[in-house]
Amino acid sequence: SDHTLEYPESPDTMDWSLYYPAYAVESTLEDSKRPAKLSKDVEVVDIGCGFGGLLVALAPLLPETLMLGLEIRTSVTQFVQERIWALREQNGGTLYQNAACIRANTMKFLPNFFKKAQLSKIFICFPDPHFKARKHKARIVSTTLNSEYAYALRPGGIVYTITDVEALHLWMVQHLDAHPSFERVPHDEVEKDDCVKVMRDETEEGKKVARNQGQKFVALFRRLEDPPWE
Ligand code: SAM
């Protein structure tokens, strides 16, 4: 449970160099307790990344962008980390340096990991549906969590959602539509986005749904500028 989860006190105290060693820059300060800085920040996050299909497909597509999978299951997190290490090694240390995975409960500690407006994309792919009404509070899209996504996303940034459960799709659309920080991305723009293709075809769940000839419901939402202070 959560008391075994490790999370930084604030984004600045997180030592990202362990996850993205190729992007670590030496701290010029003498203080060795200070975490090494990266030459750039994490920009893309995959919420509940599962076995890492999205990350592994996206990493070569956006080779200059640091991306992070967040996964609550310890063994699955470890699997994804080892998958990425192996891919780095197989590619002579050149590719996949921009992808990593950490164990986290994204319902609790997101602002501990990311600064305001740090992210350009948040992926929510085939989240657990939690069908029963009394379980709806466990859903990864909610009014409260949407405010955390809005905080971490920069204006113009995108929340990508996909699910095979129509009721969950409608739930996510309803909650994101209702949030003042988001507007739905129009259909033609969605279809032109390469990341949507990856989300549909390269996630483990996306493949499973295709094998079972199920439907996939996609919705994207853009982070709006905050209104000026009155
Ligand atoms: N996104 C992957 C895909 O499309 O193949 C995995 C989808 S799977 C149905 C949902 C994943 O979300 C599981 O791996 C689960 O452990 C993870 N998860 C559920 N709640 C979570 C939370 N609060 N924080 C992080 N991960 C979570």
Side-chain angles (χ1 to χ4, degrees):
S1 70
D2 283 350
H3 54 261
T4 66
L5 280 167
E6 284 176 33
Y7 57 93
E9 218 166 278
S10 73
D12 283 339
T13 60
M14 178 82 191
D15 191 352
W16 293 109
S17 67
L18 301 170
Y19 300 93
Y20 305 98
Y23 290 88
V25 288
E26 285 301 324
S27 171
T28 51
L29 296 160
E30 294 290 290
D31 187 352
S32 59
K33 284 199 198 110
R34 239 183 135 81
K37 296 273 173 223
L38 296 183
S39 56
K40 51 174 78 175
D41 286 333
V42 170
E43 238 190 77
V44 171
V45 163
D46 185 8
I47 303 258
C49 69
F51 295 94
L54 181 93
L55 287 173
V56 161
L58 220 51
L61 211 61
L62 304 170
E64 302 301 325
T65 304
L66 298 194
M67 50 191 74
L68 182 70
L70 300 171
E71 172 51 53
I72 202 164
R73 287 181 289 171
T74 311
S75 58
V76 176
T77 306
Q78 217 166 355
F79 172 89
V80 178
Q81 289 172 340
E82 283 167 16
R83 186 175 179 187
I84 292 168
W85 292 334
L87 283 167
R88 286 177 182 173
E89 218 170 85
Q90 285 159 24
N91 288 278
T94 53
L95 289 171
Y96 302 99
Q97 295 289 346
N98 57 331
C101 177
I102 57 174
R103 180 164 180 245
N105 181 351
T106 63
M107 297 184 84
K108 294 210 167 163
F109 306 118
L110 219 52
N112 294 71
F113 289 101
F114 310 112
K115 292 176 280 201
K116 183 173 165 63
Q118 177 174 335
L119 305 178
S120 61
K121 298 180 201 292
I122 294 179
F123 287 92
I124 302 176
C125 301
F126 301 97
D128 295 326
H130 298 293
F131 288 107
K132 295 201 179 103
R134 66 183 171 80
K135 287 275 192 179
H136 284 175
K137 57 184 184 299
R139 285 181 169 171
I140 219 92
V141 162
S142 68
T143 308
T144 312
L145 288 171
N146 289 351
S147 290
E148 294 199 356
Y149 304 147
Y151 171 83
L153 268 181
R154 63 186 64 155
I158 307 245
V159 177
Y160 291 76
T161 73
I162 185 167
T163 176
D164 57 324
V165 177
E166 189 169 19
L168 179 61
H169 167 68
L170 296 173
W171 166 281
M172 294 197 285
V173 167
Q174 180 204 330
H175 283 80
L176 283 157
D177 257 344
H179 198 286
S181 298
F182 293 105
E183 70 173 7
R184 182 123 185 220
V185 175
H187 178 78
D188 55 328
E189 218 176 299
V190 170
E191 292 311 313
K192 275 187 236 149
D193 191 322
D194 284 339
C195 296
V196 170
K197 213 171 294 152
V198 172
M199 186 166 77
R200 273 202 189 107
D201 301 336
E202 305 292 343
T203 52
E204 278 73 19
E205 283 299 317
K207 288 180 182 164
K208 195 155 100 188
V209 173
R211 278 198 300 275
N212 298 332
Q213 298 178 350
Q215 251 185 305
K216 299 175 197 175
F217 303 93
V218 172
L220 273 52
F221 290 83
R222 183 176 288 109
R223 171 70 162 97
L224 298 165
E225 295 274 355
D226 290 324
W229 293 104
E230 308 264 297

